[in-house]
Amino acid sequence: MPHCIIECSEDLAQQAAAPRLLQTVHQAAFDSGLFQAGDIKCRLVPLRHYLVGGQAASFIHIACHIMAGRNAEQRSQLAKRLVAATQALHPEIAAVSCEIHEMLAENYSKR
């Protein structure tokens, strides 16, 4: 845990920097101090059809799914850390966002 699902405009995913975006989000999640490096999963989901403010502008949105138990301040700081790291990597993109989703242990299963 966590699962960091990075949605972005297709143009970003086609760039050579896509693996760097995955590494940046992974490192920012690790730097939060909330997770072990081996527990962090990151996935990149490029989207072909999108509008940002009514226009086809590049964007990055991170949906970070974590197990319940972190307090509101920890969740807020994690979201801010992920956005800041992503903005530092892609300062040309105005639309960068992150939402933290809490998962209940009784609703989660893995192998």
Side-chain angles (χ1 to χ4, degrees):
M1 205 51 55
H3 291 270
C4 298
I5 303 166
I6 308 161
E7 295 179 336
C8 68
S9 48
E10 189 174 53
D11 61 315
L12 293 175
Q14 293 175 348
Q15 295 177 8
R20 193 161 166 219
L21 176 57
L22 286 163
Q23 285 295 329
T24 297
V25 170
H26 186 277
Q27 187 64 48
F30 176 72
D31 290 345
S32 73
L34 297 173
F35 315 105
Q36 298 296 317
D39 294 334
I40 302 167
K41 293 118 182 132
C42 296
R43 298 186 289 280
L44 186 67
V45 181
L47 298 169
R48 179 175 294 165
H49 305 286
Y50 53 87
L51 292 175
V52 178
Q55 299 180 345
S58 297
F59 75 95
I60 298 172
H61 176 74
I62 304 166
C64 186
H65 300 269
I66 64 174
M67 295 305 287
R70 275 61 174 217
N71 64 41
E73 180 62 23
Q74 289 171 315
R75 293 189 309 269
S76 175
Q77 288 303 313
L78 176 60
K80 289 175 184 174
R81 180 180 293 275
L82 294 173
V83 167
T86 303
Q87 283 181 318
L89 181 64
H90 286 288
E92 75 282 6
I93 299 173
V96 177
S97 58
C98 177
E99 183 177 7
I100 307 300
H101 300 270
E102 281 192 303
M103 300 183 336
L104 300 175
E106 59 269 21
N107 296 337
Y108 180 74
S109 178
K110 70 176 185 177
R111 183 178 107 139

